[in-house]
Amino acid sequence: GQQLNQSPQSMFIQEGEDVSMNCTSSSIFNTWLWYKQDPGEGPVLLIALYKAGELTSNGRLTAQFGITRKDSFLNISASIPSDVGIYFCAGLNYGGSQGNLIFGKGTKLSVKP
Amino acid sequence: DAGITQSPRHKVTETGTPVTLRCHQTENHRYMYWYRQDPGHGLRLIHYSYGVKDTDKGEVSDGYSVSRSKTEDFLLTLESATSSQTSVYFCAISRLAGSTDTQYFGPGTRLTVL
């Protein structure tokens, strides 16, 4: 089946640094989503991307939908302690079943004050 | 807050017992989903629903059944729980009308099968 390769698996950075993570796939997706999950809670939608090449920002977060439609990246600028958590990418191919949102395995972000 | 509640939030049960998890939404969304989350696997779709009494299987549906008799409730049943079904279960809804992608998640149910 379809799989997403999300990297890095974990990051340990200093407060104030910028962060970059990405997802790649061998399959084409029509939609890319980025979520953040805090311990003991459900994932929270950060950014949704619907068009190849699209660049979208949400505060200090910026995400892009790759031109090939097989990848996406998420950048966090000037990280702060509350950015700690697990970030997931997810892709949807409308040609599949209606519920076919495929998730990456997550990037665990740790921020040192 | 996507108006989703899950119950129970935590449950410990024994192998072979039936278990039902409930997802309740207050916003009248058409699409609802059940996922499980396990270390090393991320989130995997179990079943989803596209309307009252309309459901379909996801990636990891074996051992699970679902029912949706009302728009606001989507039930996940483990007919005979096994230790491999120990997991955190998340319900999700698609918020945009006609969309299946912008999924919003509930707080989760942590299930332990002994």
Side-chain angles (χ1 to χ4, degrees):
Chain A
Q2 295 176 310
Q3 289 187 337
L4 292 183
N5 298 309
Q6 186 170 351
S7 64
Q9 286 187 322
S10 62
M11 302 181 74
F12 192 82
I13 63 168
Q14 196 79 33
E15 182 178 357
E17 289 183 353
D18 295 344
V19 173
S20 184
M21 59 190 79
N22 68 82
C23 272
T24 61
S25 173
S26 58
S27 304
I28 290 173
F29 288 101
N30 302 98
T31 297
W32 284 94
L33 306 174
W34 284 93
Y35 289 86
K36 178 181 182 245
Q37 185 176 26
D38 293 326
E41 299 183 11
V44 174
L45 183 64
L46 299 173
I47 293 178
L49 303 160
Y50 299 103
K51 190 188 301 184
E54 179 181 357
L55 186 71
T56 297
S57 294
N58 178 6
R60 294 177 297 104
L61 277 60
T62 301
Q64 184 159 28
F65 192 144
I67 289 291
T68 65
R69 293 163 62 196
K70 294 182 179 180
D71 61 342
S72 178
F73 72 76
L74 175 71
N75 286 344
I76 305 172
S77 63
S79 59
I80 59 178
S82 63
D83 290 334
V84 164
I86 302 177
Y87 291 79
F88 292 97
C89 62
L92 179 68
N93 182 346
Y94 294 125
S97 68
Q98 290 293 316
N100 198 23
L101 192 61
I102 307 298
F103 284 83
K105 296 182 179 179
T107 295
K108 184 177 182 179
L109 179 63
S110 302
V111 179
K112 187 164 58 175
Chain B
D1 183 0
I4 305 170
T5 57
Q6 293 185 232
S7 59
R9 294 294 313 278
H10 301 272
K11 186 170 182 66
V12 180
T13 192
E14 293 188 349
T15 297
T17 60
V19 176
T20 295
L21 308 183
R22 179 182 183 237
C23 177
H24 178 78
Q25 59 144 327
T26 59
E27 300 182 355
N28 206 35
H29 296 292
R30 180 182 173 193
Y31 287 93
M32 299 183 75
Y33 310 83
W34 276 108
Y35 290 86
R36 59 178 290 174
Q37 185 175 37
D38 305 289
H41 289 280
L43 284 151
R44 293 179 293 174
L45 182 67
I46 305 172
H47 282 278
Y48 66 97
S49 169
Y50 46 96
V52 172
K53 297 185 179 175
D54 291 323
T55 65
D56 205 348
K57 296 178 179 180
E59 176 188 0
V60 290
S61 59
D62 288 347
Y64 302 95
S65 62
V66 290
S67 65
R68 191 161 177 208
S69 58
K70 298 185 291 185
T71 298
E72 58 266 34
D73 289 325
F74 191 30
L75 304 180
L76 177 71
T77 297
L78 290 65
E79 302 289 348
S80 178
T82 66
S83 58
S84 65
Q85 294 176 310
T86 292
S87 186
V88 181
Y89 291 86
F90 288 100
C91 174
I93 56 98
S94 291
R95 182 161 261 171
L96 296 181
S99 163
T100 59
D101 51 34
T102 50
Q103 295 183 19
Y104 292 79
F105 287 80
T109 295
R110 182 172 294 276
L111 176 67
T112 301
V113 183
L114 302 175

